[in-house]
Amino acid sequence: MIKKISAALTVLFLTLGIFACQTKEVDLAEVNPEAGVYYEILVRSFADSDADGVGDFNGITAKMGYLQSLGIKGIWLMPIHPSPSYHGYDVTDYYAVNLDYGTMADFENMIAAADAAGIRVMLDMVFNHTSNQHPWFVAAQNGDATYLDYYVTVPKSTDTSRIFGSWSQNIWHTSDTFKYCGYFSHTMPDLNFYSDAVKTEIEDISKFWIDKGVKGFRLDAVHHYFGENEYLDETYDFYNNIIYLDAYSKAIDAYADDIYVIGEAFIESDYKIPSAYFYGLDAPLNFPLAAKIRSAAQKTKNYNYAENLEIWYDYYRGINPHFIDAPFIVNHDMDRFASHTLGNTAMMKLAAEMLLVLPGNPIIYYGEELGMFGVKAMGPDIWDETRRMPFIWGDDTQTDWITSSSQTLANMEAANDAIGTAAEQLADAASLLSLYTAILAVRNANMALAYGNSFSAWEDSASSLSGFYREYTYEDQTQRVLVIHNFDDEAAAIPDVAGTVLYLSGSDLSGVITEIPARSTLIIDVTPEAD
């Protein structure tokens, strides 16, 4: 027998601490300061405060209420530093902000607004390489020995014609002074991670931003700090990346408490390789899990979905019992999920629910909650811009910075014009945005979903009806929930489970619940009653 309960009363239960008959109130957010759902933002595309068409820090400050009402606990800002590119992944000054986005004072005001809203700020830090316009690289080219040590260089006479990177790309480039490694581009020379001076500089940069109020870092391209065929006179493998990251993380932990550090190791095919980065980071971005969510949400049968995830989580826990995962659906380097599904709202809603009931700190790429479209353009003048298009506010804060005759851009603009703006979707209880808001409210109100990393497959899982348990205990507080996804295109009968319904897709829980609708999610509180 399933007992029904209103969402408001569920929140009240948590506030009053009824679970497990606890005798004192404990703020579990203070116990778990790094926990929460994050929101990835390209500042340029998010919100424009001064009508120049470019998003900025003040725009984010103005929209902090939107993020708070959505249920976001942290924002990840894609690179904010001065850069010759629109995306910022080639930095010219790590100690400054991109003036397109505002001043340092604007950034500090944004941090203060985020703090007031209970939202942590994470910065994207590009330490694998700099811009070739960075003063360090300019000095190295001019023969400055100090900065020569900052980069990976070999004499110009070195034969590198048969030496390639890990995806068979050319990584060796020639300047007037030397050959240098640039794993991603000749405009992005790699920093030398055998250099103690570089390691010290990276720590100093990180501490500078921590002092500004930053609460976390997303480290770009960590799998390539010690890239394949990068250091020609050294013997090493990808574990050198992990050894370095472990030392970096320990230095950050020694400097400040509760700084959440994640890293990009873009490997989807094998969960064990990127999971090794749990040794050196709070979490690697979980690319294998993102691929699994995208795939499963588009199928009606997913054999062993929960059982496989349990294996993965047990493996992570064996590396770090207190791991805080970083799952997501897509990010800025991928086609948006609406484009994967050709705008299938049911699939997008299910994927959102799948993401937002998982352990760790799920990450939402801005605009995914609206169902924005985006695919990679193939030039000649734009490429990933069409995956990173302006957020659809429908007001005077909407950005407008992409100019191209690309047909891909025209197609994406037309597709996004057809979906509801944020304001329109907030007013529509059946919208994708309303679903994101609803499932986030349930996650944030229930400690078994919000905290910890427990995960065990439901014993009655099947190909189309797959479930798992999440559980969290702190002192005398405990909660256990059962999450069930119906992947099928047909409704399924409610299972015979004793508990309290916390969430059912599209339902306000006011009527009699007899089935799980097609492509929907049911969450039941199955906490055992106290003796």
Side-chain angles (χ1 to χ4, degrees), residues 303-316:
Y303 295 95
N304 300 317
Y305 170 77
E307 292 82 355
N308 287 337
L309 288 189
E310 181 176 358
I311 292 170
W312 291 15
Y313 287 123
D314 286 348
Y315 188 84
Y316 304 159

Side-chain angles (χ1 to χ4, degrees), residues 101-364:
Y101 297 165
T103 65
M104 186 65 80
D106 294 333
F107 175 81
E108 292 166 350
N109 289 339
M110 183 201 68
I111 290 282
D115 284 345
I119 294 174
R120 296 160 60 89
V121 176
M122 170 190 290
L123 293 188
D124 208 324
M125 302 305 281
V126 189
F127 293 140
N128 179 72
H129 53 264
T130 70
S131 167
N132 62 351
Q133 298 177 33
H134 196 294
W136 299 343
F137 191 68
V138 173
Q141 289 183 300
N142 290 333
D144 187 318
T146 297
Y147 292 107
L148 269 172
D149 183 54
Y150 272 43
Y151 293 92
V152 183
T153 65
V154 295
K156 290 178 68 174
S157 59
T158 306
D159 181 8
T160 58
S161 60
R162 295 180 178 85
I163 303 176
F164 302 102
S166 57
W167 58 92
S168 301
Q169 83 280 23
N170 179 40
I171 61 173
W172 289 98
H173 315 284
T174 303
S175 74
D176 291 340
T177 312
F178 44 65
K179 285 186 176 180
Y180 62 94
C181 184
Y183 225 74
F184 292 92
S185 169
H186 72 281
T187 64
M188 301 175 178
D190 283 16
L191 287 170
N192 175 14
F193 279 83
Y194 280 104
S195 166
D196 290 338
V198 166
K199 296 173 186 177
T200 298
E201 190 83 57
I202 289 172
E203 289 179 18
D204 288 347
I205 292 164
S206 303
K207 292 172 183 177
F208 174 85
W209 291 105
I210 290 171
D211 290 345
K212 293 287 184 184
V214 168
K215 298 295 199 305
F217 300 109
R218 179 266 190 189
L219 305 181
D220 185 59
V222 296
H223 198 57
H224 304 296
Y225 286 0
F226 292 85
E228 183 179 333
N229 290 329
E230 181 166 2
Y231 300 97
L232 301 184
D233 297 326
E234 303 286 351
T235 301
Y236 62 94
D237 60 25
F238 85 92
Y239 271 95
N240 287 70
N241 298 314
I242 297 165
I243 293 167
Y244 165 72
L245 290 166
D246 180 57
Y248 169 82
S249 295
K250 286 176 179 174
I252 297 304
D253 287 343
Y255 187 74
D257 294 330
D258 305 323
I259 305 298
Y260 185 53
V261 181
I262 64 176
E264 179 203 26
F266 199 150
I267 301 166
E268 289 186 340
S269 58
D270 182 348
Y271 74 93
K272 289 186 177 180
I273 294 176
S275 66
Y277 283 89
F278 278 115
Y279 285 114
L281 298 163
D282 287 317
L285 285 158
N286 201 328
F287 285 90
L289 183 50
K292 184 175 283 291
I293 292 171
R294 294 193 304 273
S295 173
Q298 297 177 78
K299 297 177 181 178
T300 58
K301 295 185 184 300
N302 287 286
Y303 295 95
N304 300 317
Y305 170 77
E307 292 82 355
N308 287 337
L309 288 189
E310 181 176 358
I311 292 170
W312 291 15
Y313 287 123
D314 286 348
Y315 188 84
Y316 304 159
R317 203 173 294 108
I319 297 172
N320 178 1
H322 306 292
F323 78 91
I324 306 174
D325 198 19
F328 61 100
I329 301 172
V330 297
N331 68 15
H332 61 277
D333 286 324
M334 300 172 171
D335 291 350
R336 287 188 175 274
F337 194 56
S339 294
H340 281 268
T341 67
L342 302 179
N344 187 308
T345 303
M347 291 179 182
M348 288 187 277
K349 286 182 174 181
L350 182 55
E353 292 170 333
M354 292 168 67
L355 171 68
L356 294 171
V357 294
L358 291 176
N361 293 347
I363 301 169
I364 301 166

Side-chain angles (χ1 to χ4, degrees), residues 7-8 10-16 19 26-30 32-39 65-74 117-120 352-353 355-364 435-452 470 472 477 479 481 483 502-503 523:
T10 302
V11 176
L12 181 61
F13 273 14
L14 284 174
T15 304
L16 297 180
F19 292 112
V26 176
D27 186 344
L28 293 176
E30 292 184 1
N32 301 275
E34 296 181 21
V37 175
Y38 277 73
Y39 189 86
Y66 168 81
L67 298 170
Q68 188 177 29
S69 64
L70 182 58
I72 299 302
K73 302 298 182 181
I119 294 174
R120 296 160 60 89
E353 292 170 333
L355 171 68
L356 294 171
V357 294
L358 291 176
N361 293 347
I363 301 169
I364 301 166
L435 178 132
Y436 266 89
T437 303
I439 188 66
L440 272 165
V442 172
R443 179 188 181 90
N444 291 337
N446 288 275
M447 58 181 164
L449 294 172
Y451 307 120
R470 297 282 316 281
Y472 180 80
Q477 302 182 61
Q479 186 188 27
V481 302
V483 177
L502 301 175
Y503 176 86
I523 305 175

Side-chain angles (χ1 to χ4, degrees), residues 18-80:
I18 288 176
F19 292 112
C21 299
Q22 63 262 29
T23 57
K24 61 180 179 179
E25 290 188 21
V26 176
D27 186 344
L28 293 176
E30 292 184 1
V31 176
N32 301 275
E34 296 181 21
V37 175
Y38 277 73
Y39 189 86
E40 181 190 0
I41 294 174
L42 172 60
V43 179
R44 185 174 301 277
S45 281
F46 191 60
D48 176 15
S49 71
D50 57 8
D52 66 353
V54 176
D56 47 46
F57 300 131
N58 290 337
I60 295 174
T61 300
K63 298 299 186 180
M64 205 64 71
Y66 168 81
L67 298 170
Q68 188 177 29
S69 64
L70 182 58
I72 299 302
K73 302 298 182 181
I75 53 176
W76 152 20
L77 302 185
M78 290 170 62
I80 63 165

Side-chain angles (χ1 to χ4, degrees), residues 507-527:
S507 172
D508 62 5
L509 308 183
S510 60
V512 176
I513 299 171
T514 60
E515 63 181 21
I516 309 174
R519 297 196 168 275
S520 291
T521 298
L522 172 69
I523 305 175
I524 308 168
D525 187 330
V526 294
T527 308

